[in-house]
Amino acid sequence: MPDPTESGRPAADLIHAAGPADAAWWRHAVIYQIYPRSWADADGDGIGDLPGVTARLDYLKALGVDAVWFSPFYKSPQADAGYDVADYRDIDGLFGTLADADAMVARAHELGLKVIVDLVPNHTSDEHEWFQAALAAGPGSPERDRYIFRDGKGPDGDLPPNDWHSVFGGDGWTRVTEADGSPGQWYLHLFDTKQPDLNWDNPEIGDEFESILRFWLDRGIDGFRVDVAHGLIKEKGLPDYDVELHILDGELKPGAPMPPMWDQDAVHDVYRRWHSVLAGYGEPDRILVAEAWVRPQERAVRYVRPDEMHQAFNFDFLKAQWTAAELREVITSSLEAADSVGAPSTWVLSNHDVVRHASRLGLPVGERQPNGISATDPQPDRALGLRRARAATTLMLALPGGAYLYQGEELGLPDSTDMPGEFRQDPTFLRTKGKEIGRDGCRVPIPWQKDAPSLGFGPTEATWLPQPAVYGDYAVDQQDGVEGSTLELYRTLLRCRRERDLGTGGLRAAEGFGDDVVALVNTGQGVPTLVVANLGSEPVALPEGATVVVASGDLTDDGLVPTDTTVWASF
Ligand code: GLC
């Protein structure tokens, strides 16, 4: 069959070649992130839980996603909302029990949804039995060697061993008191004081994590999202590095030296080992997805070489400014980089660590993107943000590869941008004394029903973070079945993405639309889709004969694609 995109239609350079129609599931999956604290609360304590999730999985099936990724639900003192794990083989009482987890996985599988769990290998909680044993056992002990303990500098050892900062603000080291009451050694924590970094040079750590992987794989889990995947190994000698660290920041500026705590070559040995553990479980593939804040893309894709992880989050796409030039560049370079190692690219616009894209895109273009918005900050333009968010998602879901959705984005939810400080729980806010607002604004419990206690999140009024008054208008029951709602847009996009094989398709640039338009053709598996995202100030025309499949907003009366609107069309 001749390639229909060669037949005089608006198609030009090939950016990415189509994959086979029967490509492995993770090469084109749409994965929905559940932040368990905030999705659905069955027991009414104000914190979401696994029975709440199980009861609502049908909603995700109807939405049309392929898999669900859970932020951590393990036993944890919750100093960093569960990214501080005290027991990797148990569920925190807040979320339920192991039996609840098994029931959730069984229900998901019944519905044909895969389940990916979060794995936090860079650090444990300070309440993990290993850390408690390390404190008790004292300097030089094998127990201490599971973490990164060092003597302090200065005559009394009262200065930290080096000048590393914590990503959450403040020092990266904390001094302990030894069992005899004397001031003791220091331990490294790249995040909160309650998240001591593990010493991955100690073979015991690798063995333990292989065993943890097997524990969850044996329970039927389909994959792992690997937290801070670029951080496990530190440069030998822990050389000084007096630079502030920020979440999702690929530290490497072109030509800059590699920060000694990130992206050390030896991390890849860890992922090769894990790959072979997962491969031992046969088909369908179990997967690893890297949260690695690594630049440039050529280094980032080393995490997804054929014998390592399967996917990595594409934070360059998430961080791209709302300009056609930047989006075109990041789409092209992401696919090129991923193709160079034979991996799928992935796409993501929101997660639990960033301002939701419906709010982010309502801020002025070109400014530094905040990791949280407070009432005293310039407020996003909510209508503009939603319009652009819908256009951005419509562009994203047309791209080949895997895509990640963050709970609530299918409702067009904005961040909570006026949360009083007293409610905030992100350690970033606490450690920087409010200088960094932190991530609570994107973590607010989901509105399911406008006229119900806690907007239907749970059976009581309780919510662990306050829901903004405006959230009622975004509730699922306000959008379900309503033509033009964001929820119905997502459902249509996901259905059409599947029907038109956009996840495995090839991608070409489409020409003749002007600099302010991202115009692409996804070749699908033979039925091409023209994708036009108009970021310019003037409406643009679709080619003659093109028929709109789905649009992120209304077209003009004469059928033009207006500003901040994306259209899929057949032609
Ligand atoms: C990752 C998580 C973030 C967490 C941090 C420390 O970046 O996404 O939420 O705070 O790791 O575990």
Side-chain angles (χ1 to χ4, degrees):
M1 185 174 119
D3 180 346
T5 63
E6 301 285 13
S7 57
R9 309 309 315 184
D13 302 346
L14 184 68
I15 299 169
H16 165 78
D22 63 352
W25 68 273
W26 48 271
R27 290 187 170 271
H28 52 87
V30 177
I31 301 177
Y32 183 97
Q33 180 187 358
I34 289 187
Y35 194 66
R37 300 175 76 84
S38 299
W39 202 59
D41 176 20
D43 64 9
D45 66 352
I47 300 185
D49 46 44
L50 290 174
V53 170
T54 306
R56 291 199 185 268
L57 282 174
D58 295 41
Y59 167 82
L60 294 184
K61 182 64 187 172
L63 182 62
V65 300
D66 302 290
V68 184
W69 147 39
F70 286 85
S71 282
F73 43 39
Y74 312 107
K75 193 158 181 286
S76 157
Q78 306 288 322
D80 183 22
Y83 282 94
D84 49 319
V85 180
D87 183 348
Y88 292 85
R89 297 183 183 82
D90 204 358
I91 305 291
D92 198 279
L94 282 176
F95 304 121
T97 61
L98 270 178
D100 292 330
D102 291 341
M104 181 276 290
V105 175
R107 179 67 188 140
H109 285 167
E110 227 169 75
L111 291 167
L113 297 168
K114 302 214 182 287
V115 178
I116 293 170
V117 298
D118 222 302
L119 188 73
V120 188
N122 181 66
H123 44 265
T124 68
S125 163
D126 64 337
E127 296 181 31
H128 190 286
E129 62 175 21
W130 273 6
F131 194 74
Q132 290 302 313
L135 291 181
S141 61
E143 287 84 354
R144 284 228 168 155
D145 192 46
R146 292 174 179 144
Y147 294 90
I148 304 178
F149 277 89
R150 295 286 185 277
D151 293 333
K153 283 189 177 158
D156 302 318
D158 52 4
L159 297 173
N162 74 15
D163 58 6
W164 291 7
H165 299 248
S166 154
V167 175
F168 290 161
D171 282 346
W173 295 88
T174 291
R175 192 171 196 186
V176 302
T177 303
E178 301 299 354
D180 64 2
S182 63
Q185 287 192 303
W186 298 71
Y187 66 90
L188 177 70
H189 52 87
L190 291 178
F191 294 88
D192 191 62
T193 317
K194 286 183 68 64
Q195 293 167 296
D197 280 52
L198 286 162
N199 172 21
W200 274 86
D201 292 332
N202 179 340
E204 201 184 344
I205 309 299
D207 293 345
E208 172 67 357
F209 272 85
E210 174 168 341
S211 152
I212 294 167
L213 289 178
R214 291 187 186 282
F215 177 87
W216 289 102
L217 290 165
D218 291 342
R219 298 191 101 83
I221 287 299
D222 302 291
F224 301 89
R225 175 267 189 193
V226 181
D227 192 64
V228 197
H230 58 308
L232 274 45
I233 311 276
K234 281 76 180 173
E235 190 175 322
K236 295 258 173 297
L238 309 181
D240 279 343
Y241 185 77
D242 185 13
V243 176
E244 274 189 31
L245 306 175
H246 291 284
I247 212 149
L248 298 198
D249 237 359
E251 298 295 324
L252 269 191
K253 311 282 180 283
M258 182 115 59
M261 67 287 287
W262 300 147
D263 196 31
Q264 303 296 307
D265 286 341
V267 291
H268 296 285
D269 298 336
V270 175
Y271 303 130
R272 283 192 198 101
R273 176 172 179 184
W274 291 8
H275 183 103
S276 62
V277 171
L278 268 62
Y281 283 75
E283 294 201 346
D285 294 343
R286 319 293 167 107
I287 69 160
L288 295 165
V289 51
E291 186 217 22
W293 327 327
V294 173
R295 290 223 180 90
Q297 282 169 331
E298 294 74 55
R299 279 201 74 88
V301 295
R302 289 157 37 107
Y303 289 75
V304 288
R305 287 177 291 194
D307 58 348
E308 297 195 36
M309 303 227 205
H310 300 76
Q311 295 184 340
F313 293 119
N314 184 347
F315 293 128
D316 286 344
F317 184 71
L318 183 150
K319 293 179 80 166
Q321 296 283 347
W322 188 242
T323 69
E326 203 164 323
L327 286 168
R328 259 197 305 270
E329 203 290 314
V330 70
I331 291 168
T332 309
S333 60
S334 304
L335 286 164
E336 271 171 16
D339 283 342
S340 73
V341 292
S345 188
T346 65
W347 313 99
V348 61
L349 288 163
S350 283
N351 67 29
H352 66 293
D353 288 330
V354 299
V355 172
R356 288 176 172 280
H357 64 292
S359 293
R360 209 172 61 229
L361 296 174
L363 293 171
V365 174
E367 296 188 359
R368 179 179 172 258
Q369 295 169 345
N371 79 341
I373 299 174
S374 79
T376 54
D377 290 324
Q379 295 295 294
D381 176 333
R382 208 144 32 87
L384 178 70
L386 180 57
R387 183 183 179 84
R388 288 184 172 167
R390 291 168 55 118
T393 301
T394 305
L395 173 62
M396 173 174 94
L397 289 176
L399 300 174
Y404 280 82
L405 305 179
Y406 176 51
Q407 64 178 36
E409 69 165 87
E410 76 281 14
L411 306 174
L413 268 193
D415 255 41
S416 168
T417 57
D418 58 0
M419 191 186 297
E422 75 222 54
F423 292 108
R424 294 192 177 271
Q425 302 200 19
D426 184 349
T428 319
F429 180 78
L430 306 170
R431 289 179 65 88
T432 63
K433 305 200 169 41
K435 201 174 128 242
E436 293 271 346
I437 285 302
R439 303 160 289 173
D440 296 300
C442 66
R443 298 176 172 180
V444 173
I446 294 296
W448 293 89
Q449 277 170 277
K450 186 169 184 177
D451 296 311
S454 62
L455 302 175
F457 168 61
T460 67
E461 290 290 358
T463 57
W464 70 282
L465 290 174
Q467 294 167 307
V470 75
Y471 266 31
D473 295 338
Y474 294 84
V476 173
D477 72 343
Q478 300 300 295
Q479 303 199 37
D480 188 20
V482 176
E483 203 190 320
S485 72
T486 304
L487 178 57
E488 292 302 336
L489 171 67
Y490 270 69
R491 287 176 176 161
T492 307
L493 291 171
L494 290 166
R495 179 172 47 77
C496 295
R497 175 183 163 89
R498 195 182 299 269
E499 284 168 8
R500 302 181 76 84
D501 296 309
L502 302 182
T504 56
L507 201 69
R508 292 177 184 278
E511 282 175 351
F513 289 88
D515 287 349
D516 292 335
V517 176
V518 182
L520 301 162
V521 172
N522 186 317
T523 62
Q525 293 291 327
V527 178
T529 302
L530 173 67
V531 183
V532 176
N534 182 8
L535 285 82
S537 52
E538 298 300 321
V540 296
L542 293 171
E544 197 130 328
T547 317
V548 174
V549 173
V550 51
S552 67
D554 290 338
L555 270 54
T556 66
D557 289 344
D558 33 7
L560 305 180
V561 181
T563 303
D564 294 331
T565 304
T566 302
V567 163
W568 298 357
S570 57
F571 60 100

